[in-house]
Amino acid sequence: MRASNLISEKRGGALLAVFVIATSLAVIIASLFSHSMSERRINKRHELRLISKNASEAIAEYGFAQLRHKFENRTNFSMDALKPGSSDELTMPASSLFGSVLDYEKSELVGGTVPDYPTELTYIDPVDPANEFDPLRGQKVYARNIGIYAKAVVNDPLGGSSITSYISQKLQVRDAPLFAHAIFYNLDLEVSPGPKMDIFGPVHTNGDLYLQGIDGVDFHYPVSTSKDMFYGWGTGKPSAQGSGNERLQTGDVRFKNRAGDLVSMKDGGSFMDSNRSDWREYASNRWNGNLLTQEHGVETYQPVAFPDYKKDDPSTHEYDPVNSGHALIEPPLPTASPDYNAEIEKQKLSTKAGLYFSWDVETGEVKAFDGDGYEYDISNLEGPGSDYLYEIKENAMQDKRRNKQIDMVDFNVGKLKQLIENPDVSSPNGHIGVYDPDIPHSAYNPGSEWNGIVYFETKTSSSNAQNQERLHHSGIRVWGGETDRSGQGIPSYGEDPGLTFATNNALYVKGHFNADGTLHDTWTSENSALVPEVGEVPVALYGDSVTILSNSWDDSITSSKPDASSTEVAAAIVSGLIPSDARSNGKSSGGVHNFPRFLEDWGGKSLYIRGSLVCLYESEVDDSQWQINYYSPPARKWGFSQLFLNGTFPPGTPLLRTYRRVDYTDLTQTEYENALRALPWGGEES
């Protein structure tokens, strides 16, 4: 019995121990499970906070996309354009993009006020570290900030309270004047000069950038491309490489670094470009933001209201580039035209012009209109003679590049200066029109009509295809712009000084223009490639193509390469080109160093251009391809006008629009609600 009792007692003690241990384990497991559940809830809350924050940023990003679309297709907005309930209010993205976790009904996107268009330029300070990788640093822009407010509410699937994130950020809409760059290309930019080339002033291209040089190229200001930068030719076809089958050029191509030193593309015997796998980091470390590509976030600089240029698609049979920029120099379209776009029409120079001329190559008639469409009789101002405004010359000159005799209208800007600055209604050829005090708009009134923009349309009234082809055998030639000669000079009158002259035709510029012809070499303090003369006004010349004729040009000389003389032009030049190997023609574009077109033997002579070189489009009227057999190039002494560098631009200068996100801020609920209440409509009933 005693043994049996002992066994029972031992069994009872063991069971008790097992029970105690099991209970303890259960308590521990329960505790661990409870802790695990708490950790899970905490982790889930953290996850939901991240989801909420990311959702608020995504909502704001959708708002930025909407704003960009509006500003790329519109020019004018009222202060309250983005007010909730208005036609321009910002809308939430589709709910399907977020899934069920987002409380779509409680989340929101609100746009702020649209400031009035700025009247002063803002300087993008290159010394500010925040601007080191800003492609517009060192330039002046018209900037306005538009606030965006986003709220994202996320529900807790575990039954906890919802989580809300609030943010604000501003979209900076920046409009840089077209001539804020020494060189601006809307197409691929090719640089491959023989003699050493120094480029002073910012450079940008919306296409690819191709660089090389025999004696080298130095960029002294920031360079940017919306695509990539490559060493070499812009085409793989040998016949279109330079004058044909040229070898790669091995001179140094250099950009400045943070210290201001010029640093070569050549590193270890090889040229570094966008083909490097670590290009973004490499370029950033080597040039500290003075060479930026799409890898650095550089976007397309788009002329306001114009679609992006797109090169020809070689997979199609038709030559079909989207040559949208050419519309800038085209005549106005009637509202009934299927191509009519009100925003583009506002930006055309033909629409902006305060003085409009029209030449019908079929009838030979030239007409003049003011900006309101009133016509003026200008028959008393037609040449020939010593004191005329214009003269029509059939077969005026031979253009060896176009391989054609050119019908020309010679336009005397010196005479225009007198007609605008000192009109004399008592003299038949002393004013525009035929003055009659009893007839309104019988004479052009510069005081109320002149705005510094002159447009010269070339057209044909003939429907005959052969006659229409005459448009490709014509041109407009401006002369009389030498500033120190009696009867010459640049018209400049009113609050907006200077002259903008534009035509849809090929433009020829003869002799010293907006300059006195006294040439100061590039190593002097009066450097004629950079430094404006006393009293110089800003000038821009736009054409389908732009050809510079030296001060020695003579129409009667028909030799292959007539001798040129050194010439000075102080103007921004906006022109087209024919891209390398366009239509598979095996020809080069000539590069930026041949962007202004030449027809003379400039050997030993210099061409000074003090201004800006801008290629916005492909040429359509003068579609001749660059070659080297009809001219010899000048010593290219080209620079960025200090007038433009300091923010003084020709009348009606187009704007290039870019965007930048600034001032990102996480907000509390109170800060968010206060910000919305502070909007002009914040106190209104919803």
Side-chain angles (χ1 to χ4, degrees):
M1 290 291 295
R2 177 67 178 165
S4 177
N5 288 337
L6 285 173
I7 292 172
S8 297
E9 288 174 3
K10 289 180 180 179
R11 287 178 176 170
L15 288 172
L16 178 62
V18 170
F19 176 77
V20 170
I21 292 171
T23 302
S24 298
L25 286 173
V27 170
I28 292 170
I29 291 171
S31 176
L32 289 172
F33 182 74
S34 175
H35 179 73
S36 175
M37 290 296 292
S38 296
E39 282 290 313
R40 183 183 172 193
R41 290 193 185 97
I42 291 171
N43 289 338
K44 187 63 178 178
R45 297 292 288 181
H46 281 312
E47 180 186 348
L48 292 174
R49 288 190 183 94
L50 287 175
I51 291 173
S52 176
K53 181 173 174 52
N54 290 339
S56 64
E57 293 176 359
I59 291 171
E61 190 65 29
Y62 189 74
F64 287 136
Q66 292 179 74
L67 271 181
R68 284 192 59 157
H69 179 75
K70 294 176 188 295
F71 274 90
E72 286 171 359
N73 293 278
R74 294 258 299 281
T75 52
N76 298 311
F77 294 87
S78 63
M79 177 271 294
D80 61 351
L82 305 179
K83 175 182 175 180
S86 71
S87 59
D88 280 315
E89 73 168 332
L90 301 183
T91 59
M92 284 281 290
S95 59
S96 58
L97 296 176
F98 295 96
S100 59
V101 69
L102 182 76
D103 191 328
Y104 188 79
E105 297 302 321
K106 293 181 180 178
S107 301
E108 65 181 356
L109 171 64
V110 179
T113 57
V114 179
D116 290 337
Y117 198 85
T119 57
E120 296 184 357
L121 290 162
T122 298
Y123 182 58
I124 309 298
D125 189 354
V127 177
D128 186 342
N131 296 329
E132 183 172 26
F133 293 97
D134 187 334
L136 291 179
R137 77 190 196 287
Q139 298 184 42
K140 295 182 178 181
V141 301
Y142 294 103
R144 45 183 168 165
N145 294 337
I146 303 165
I148 286 181
Y149 305 90
K151 168 185 172 184
V153 181
V154 172
N155 293 321
D156 187 346
L158 299 179
S161 59
S162 60
I163 295 176
T164 306
S165 291
Y166 307 89
I167 68 167
S168 71
Q169 194 169 13
K170 293 175 181 174
L171 181 70
Q172 187 175 75
V173 181
R174 305 191 297 179
D175 291 341
L178 183 61
F179 308 129
H181 296 83
I183 299 172
F184 177 87
Y185 265 50
N186 203 23
L187 290 70
D188 290 347
L189 171 57
E190 299 168 85
V191 185
S192 56
K196 174 71 181 303
M197 192 170 184
D198 288 271
I199 299 176
F200 293 89
V203 174
H204 176 81
T205 175
N206 285 335
D208 287 316
L209 177 60
Y210 297 92
L211 299 176
Q212 58 178 331
I214 293 176
D215 291 338
V217 183
D218 285 346
F219 293 91
H220 297 266
Y221 280 71
V223 177
S224 59
T225 167
S226 302
K227 294 185 178 178
D228 293 312
M229 187 277 283
F230 299 108
Y231 162 66
W233 302 106
T235 173
K237 182 175 287 187
S239 64
Q241 294 174 348
S243 58
N245 300 286
E246 289 189 21
R247 293 179 297 178
L248 285 172
Q249 301 167 355
T250 57
D252 281 316
V253 178
R254 303 189 298 178
F255 310 88
K256 284 192 172 181
N257 64 10
R258 185 184 291 115
D261 300 323
L262 287 163
V263 181
S264 178
M265 283 174 62
K266 193 184 295 184
D267 188 2
S270 299
F271 286 88
M272 301 295 110
D273 61 17
S274 292
N275 285 315
R276 281 185 67 114
S277 60
D278 62 344
W279 170 249
R280 185 179 186 278
E281 294 77 14
Y282 178 87
S284 298
N285 293 329
R286 191 169 180 85
W287 296 291
N288 310 118
N290 283 309
L291 173 60
L292 299 174
T293 67
Q294 64 178 346
E295 293 289 329
H296 301 90
V298 177
E299 299 180 339
T300 299
Y301 293 8
Q302 184 178 20
V304 174
F306 290 90
D308 289 344
Y309 164 83
K310 293 182 181 178
K311 62 176 64 176
D312 172 57
D313 180 357
S315 66
T316 63
H317 293 294
E318 298 295 326
Y319 188 73
D320 54 358
V322 179
N323 200 28
S324 52
H326 200 273
L328 183 68
I329 61 168
E330 292 173 359
L333 288 175
T335 55
S337 169
D339 296 322
Y340 180 85
N341 180 302
E343 296 300 322
I344 290 177
E345 293 300 309
K346 289 179 185 177
Q347 301 304 314
K348 286 183 175 181
L349 292 164
S350 57
T351 304
K352 295 179 178 179
L355 185 56
Y356 189 113
F357 295 91
S358 176
W359 172 35
D360 188 332
V361 297
E362 177 65 20
T363 65
E365 188 175 29
V366 175
K367 296 181 178 181
F369 307 85
D370 63 24
D372 295 320
Y374 290 103
E375 184 178 349
Y376 298 90
D377 185 344
I378 56 172
S379 56
N380 288 329
L381 297 173
E382 182 177 2
S386 60
D387 189 28
Y388 67 89
L389 177 63
Y390 71 96
E391 181 180 3
I392 301 173
K393 297 180 177 180
E394 292 188 9
N395 298 320
M397 56 168 274
Q398 187 175 27
D399 186 324
K400 297 283 187 179
R401 171 168 172 157
R402 298 169 76 179
N403 196 28
K404 294 170 182 175
Q405 288 292 129
I406 305 301
D407 294 341
M408 195 78 74
V409 169
D410 269 353
F411 190 84
N412 184 352
V413 296
K415 178 61 177 178
L416 183 63
K417 178 180 175 68
Q418 176 265 304
L419 295 170
I420 297 303
E421 296 180 7
N422 299 290
D424 181 5
V425 296
S426 66
S427 171
N429 68 343
H431 63 285
I432 297 173
V434 179
Y435 178 68
D436 185 331
D438 297 324
I439 301 177
H441 302 287
S442 60
Y444 183 84
N445 182 359
S448 59
E449 300 295 341
W450 174 260
N451 63 2
I453 305 173
V454 177
Y455 183 76
F456 213 117
E457 176 190 5
T458 305
K459 64 179 184 179
T460 178
S461 56
S462 175
S463 58
N464 180 277
Q466 185 174 355
N467 291 340
Q468 288 180 341
E469 180 62 21
R470 290 186 63 187
L471 288 172
H472 293 275
H473 296 251
S474 64
I476 305 294
R477 181 165 57 187
V478 291
W479 70 282
E482 187 171 341
T483 55
D484 68 342
R485 294 188 63 179
S486 176
Q488 295 199 25
I490 301 298
S492 181
Y493 181 78
E495 296 180 356
D496 202 1
L499 172 69
T500 290
F501 187 95
T503 178
N504 60 327
N505 205 342
L507 179 65
Y508 297 79
V509 183
K510 181 181 177 182
H512 304 307
F513 200 86
N514 194 31
D516 61 14
T518 302
L519 305 177
H520 302 280
D521 215 328
T522 53
W523 50 266
T524 69
S525 61
E526 296 175 288
N527 183 354
S528 292
L530 301 173
V531 182
E533 296 168 358
V534 175
E536 184 174 312
V537 296
V539 170
L541 301 170
Y542 298 74
D544 178 78
S545 63
V546 176
T547 300
I548 306 296
L549 304 174
S550 81
N551 209 46
S552 297
W553 177 266
D554 186 336
D555 287 345
S556 65
I557 299 176
T558 59
S559 60
S560 178
K561 294 182 181 179
D563 290 336
S565 59
S566 293
T567 301
E568 182 182 17
V569 175
I573 294 175
V574 183
S575 176
L577 57 72
I578 303 301
S580 293
D581 201 31
R583 300 182 176 89
S584 299
N585 62 10
K587 300 293 184 180
S588 169
S589 72
V592 68
H593 43 295
N594 291 303
F595 177 60
R597 304 185 183 192
F598 308 113
L599 298 173
E600 300 166 85
D601 182 356
W602 288 80
K605 304 299 189 297
S606 297
L607 173 62
Y608 286 81
I609 297 179
R610 181 171 57 254
S612 173
L613 301 179
V614 176
C615 178
L616 282 182
Y617 38 79
E618 295 187 23
S619 299
E620 296 182 358
V621 175
D622 178 0
D623 56 1
S624 58
Q625 193 74 41
W626 173 80
Q627 299 179 71
I628 195 64
N629 59 348
Y630 52 84
Y631 80 102
S632 296
R636 302 175 179 96
K637 300 186 178 182
W638 305 347
F640 187 41
S641 172
Q642 290 182 359
L643 284 178
F644 302 162
L645 182 64
N646 294 324
T648 301
F649 301 103
T653 295
L655 298 170
L656 300 169
R657 181 159 287 169
T658 58
Y659 308 88
R660 194 183 189 197
R661 296 165 181 78
V662 297
D663 300 339
Y664 175 91
T665 308
D666 287 309
L667 302 176
T668 65
Q669 179 179 351
T670 300
E671 290 171 334
Y672 179 83
E673 292 173 349
N674 288 341
L676 295 190
R677 275 194 291 268
L679 295 173
W681 54 85
E684 297 179 10
E685 294 284 336
S686 59

